[in-house]
Amino acid sequence: MARRPSRKQAEIEALRAIPAHQRFSDEPPIVVEGLVNRFGDFTVHDGLDLTVQRGEIIGVVGGSGTGKSVLMRSIIGLQAPTEGRIDVLGRTITGVDLDKKIGVRRRWGVLFQGGALFSTLTVGENVEVPLKEFYPDISDELRREIARYKVLLSGLPEDAIAKYPSELSGGMKKRAGLARALALDPELLFLDEPTAGLDPIGAAAFDRQTRELKETLGLTVFLITHDLDTLYEICDRVAVLADKKVIAVGTIPELIETGHPWITEYFTGPRGRAAQGAYEQNKAREADASASGASGAGASE
């Protein structure tokens, strides 16, 4: 006589039955067309267009007041644009009420500036929040187990699960926010200034974590940053906001070739040159290490 599956096994099978994310389809996961955002008489965006390719880390840069965070908030449905169309994962989200966005909202995760953790909840409880919202029927035991896994996946130690945000360093808060953003196994990951306020070592570690997660989980990452090291190290392309639009999208060498004054100053100024130099040194060290490993392996055969 066949054994009946346990409640926990049944819950896991139910989660697996949810339609698989089309992480590797060719369809761009984000398409923004003719976006206009106005606040009273002030226009932030006017005819902004942007297409994000699946599987890339796209960095979004621009001067203060160019609307980088407003663009992200428009894409995730927190800011209703004045005009334009936004398609996310094949669904138009502009002009749609919140209830109809629920299906697509569970397919993205967001790390806001500073982590945006609930101060009265532990790290584990913060990670459980989206699980309670979108999968209210799973048991407390399974929800805690999923939260624990996401906390570890973010790079935090296991003892951080029971800590409150006030007990965490700035870098740990960022990772706790990242764990919550990963709670629902998203296809899209939105990061708003994830390395702001971190020391160089912590920022570099967060960059490596982002790249590893993207490659391991098949994520598409929308990354707002001012960190030139981050742009050089992990971004496949960079979108530049200026003049109320996206004025250019491409690799950093492609952007520099445009000759736009702001882009030239941003990427070839003193800080830009320093970031490029550090990136080239890192690549040279990686190449040397790879060559040494290859020669060592050959000698042992």
Side-chain angles (χ1 to χ4, degrees), residues 8 12 128 131 139-151:
K8 183 176 178 180
I12 292 173
E128 289 182 40
L131 294 168
S139 67
D140 293 345
E141 180 186 2
L142 180 57
R143 188 168 57 246
R144 285 193 295 267
E145 187 173 330
I146 293 172
R148 173 183 173 276
Y149 171 70
K150 300 302 180 179
V151 169

Side-chain angles (χ1 to χ4, degrees), residues 123 151-160 168 171-173 175-177 179:
V123 170
V151 169
L152 297 177
L153 186 64
S154 74
L156 286 173
E158 188 164 3
D159 63 6
L168 305 178
M172 293 177 75
K173 288 179 182 177
R175 290 185 180 274

Side-chain angles (χ1 to χ4, degrees), residues 45-60:
H45 303 134
D46 190 6
L48 183 150
D49 298 317
L50 176 65
T51 298
V52 177
Q53 302 301 326
R54 189 171 292 274
E56 73 174 345
I57 299 178
I58 185 165
V60 179

